[in-house]
Amino acid sequence: MRARVYVTLKPSVFDPQGRVVADALLSLGYEDVKDVRQGKFFEVELDGGDPATAEARVTEMAEKLLANPVIESYRVELLRS
Amino acid sequence: MTFAVVVFPGSNSDRDAAEAARVLGERARLVWHKDTELGEADAVILPGGFAHGDYLRTGAIARFSPIMGAVADFAERGGPVLGICNGFQVLLEAGLLPGAMVRNRDIKFRCEFVPVRVDQVDTPFTSACAPGQVLHLPIAHGEGNYYAPPDVVESLEANRQVIFRYTDRSGAMTEGSNPNGSVHAIAGICNAARNVVGLMPHPERACEAPLGSDDGRIVLASAAEAIRDGRFRARPAAAASR
């Protein structure tokens, strides 16, 4: 079973890298860009076939390690393939 | 007295810290991160650098180093622990200090001398300072932008846990004197028990005048003095296990 974890800085935390990327996009002429938030993406491969267990375990992993809950939020997505 | 300096793979200020202790006439021992005991130690230093390559987040992997159990135990027993730069980031990720680091506000890696004001002198690493004393210390970091949620910052301020702040040379906080965007210009904090201190500037790199400043001596000298007169000492391990 595979899961995807998306980690981004919380909306309340300023993202200097995202801001620089947004400015670069504006420089390229994409004047409709209002903001960019940069984040991290993890693909986790797991043993076991029960989706509910897998989701619970990956959520726990995100909480304990993949994200720092002080500054980051995360989203877990299960791949049913 | 003896400073135990923890060496992580990727530490680069470990020998600077040990040398700073020797400059003061104190002993320093390097302790490998895979060790599980600190051995002889009156104070512990987590040095600057890029522990474990800063993979995932700065300090995020170092908290799993085997030595960190002994460091947490030493801190719990009231032993003085100083995290410098990357060592501060490790203390944050390990939960020994509150908050987190994000990229510097202007994205740049800042490597320069800055004025740093000592706001509280009742910690082992500032006890020899005068309140409000401004130290001339080097910084060298890309992720020193201290962040904590507003309620945490409020409690840090209320409990006088903000120990060091970025200011101008006169000790005034100005728009231009904050090099990285840290909330409340925070350069260093302590825990509630006041024995664990973390700061982004490098006092150990400013212990001899030819290096540009010897203002940093007072940080380790404070610890040496505070430990000798018994103000900050780790309680014996047996007492803490109850």
Side-chain angles (χ1 to χ4, degrees):
Chain A
M1 180 141 299
R2 279 187 306 154
R4 287 178 172 163
V5 184
Y6 301 85
V7 177
T8 47
L9 285 171
K10 286 179 176 171
S12 55
V13 181
F14 177 57
D15 176 10
Q17 292 187 95
R19 189 62 249 164
V20 167
V21 173
D23 288 345
L25 289 171
L26 288 170
S27 302
L28 280 175
Y30 296 101
E31 284 148 18
D32 46 345
V33 171
K34 285 169 69 182
D35 195 19
V36 173
R37 305 287 290 177
Q38 186 174 325
K40 294 181 190 133
F41 167 71
F42 302 86
E43 217 167 73
V44 183
E45 262 191 75
L46 292 163
D47 274 340
D50 177 39
T53 310
E55 188 166 356
R57 289 187 63 80
V58 174
T59 301
E60 195 180 300
M61 293 174 203
E63 191 72 33
K64 281 189 183 169
L65 179 66
L66 303 181
N68 179 341
V70 178
I71 45 172
E72 294 168 327
S73 47
Y74 60 86
R75 183 162 59 82
V76 175
E77 195 180 281
L78 228 52
L79 299 179
R80 295 162 199 277
S81 56
Chain B
M1 61 151 289
T2 304
F3 289 93
V5 181
V6 176
V7 184
F8 297 101
S11 291
N12 67 11
S13 224
D14 43 331
R15 282 171 195 273
D16 304 53
E19 182 59 24
R22 287 186 201 113
V23 164
L24 293 171
E26 308 295 345
R27 262 167 51 82
R29 295 173 46 247
L30 298 177
V31 180
W32 182 232
H33 81 116
K34 288 217 165 161
D35 289 345
T36 51
E37 283 175 32
L38 289 165
E40 188 197 334
D42 297 301
V44 173
I45 297 177
L46 303 187
F50 301 85
H52 299 271
D54 277 353
Y55 287 2
L56 188 61
R57 293 179 304 275
T58 57
I61 305 299
R63 91 170 204 252
F64 299 103
S65 281
I67 194 65
M68 286 307 290
V71 173
D73 175 63
F74 184 80
E76 177 66 34
R77 288 189 282 118
V81 176
L82 179 67
I84 302 170
C85 195
N86 190 226
F88 184 13
Q89 295 163 336
V90 172
L91 290 173
L92 294 171
E93 282 282 345
L96 291 172
L97 289 174
M101 288 295 174
V102 291
R103 281 292 184 106
N104 290 352
R105 177 185 44 199
D106 60 4
I107 304 286
K108 294 191 179 79
F109 187 99
R110 299 288 295 260
C111 187
E112 64 207 82
F113 274 90
V114 297
V116 177
R117 191 179 74 202
V118 181
D119 276 13
Q120 306 296 337
V121 298
D122 57 345
T123 80
F125 301 99
T126 54
S127 58
C129 301
Q133 184 175 352
V134 177
L135 307 176
H136 189 54
L137 299 177
I139 55 167
H141 60 248
E143 292 194 37
N145 185 349
Y146 179 81
Y147 175 86
D151 57 316
V152 174
V153 174
E154 210 172 287
S155 98
L156 285 175
E157 295 286 9
N159 298 318
R160 300 184 304 101
Q161 284 172 255
V162 178
I163 308 304
F164 299 101
R165 260 184 249 265
Y166 301 109
T167 62
D168 67 13
R169 278 162 187 269
S170 73
M173 281 163 66
T174 66
E175 183 73 18
S177 64
N178 185 338
N180 52 33
S182 288
V183 59
H184 289 206
I186 288 172
I189 58 172
C190 73
N191 63 346
R194 309 192 83 77
N195 61 310
V196 179
V197 173
L199 81 167
M200 288 312 290
H202 285 275
E204 84 288 10
R205 293 185 190 168
C207 286
E208 290 172 285
L211 299 177
S213 168
D214 60 3
D215 284 5
R217 293 175 72 118
I218 201 160
V219 174
L220 296 193
S222 289
E225 195 184 289
I227 288 160
R228 277 215 178 81
D229 67 19
R231 271 176 292 156
F232 287 96
R233 249 187 194 289
R235 293 179 293 279
S241 66
R242 278 191 290 121

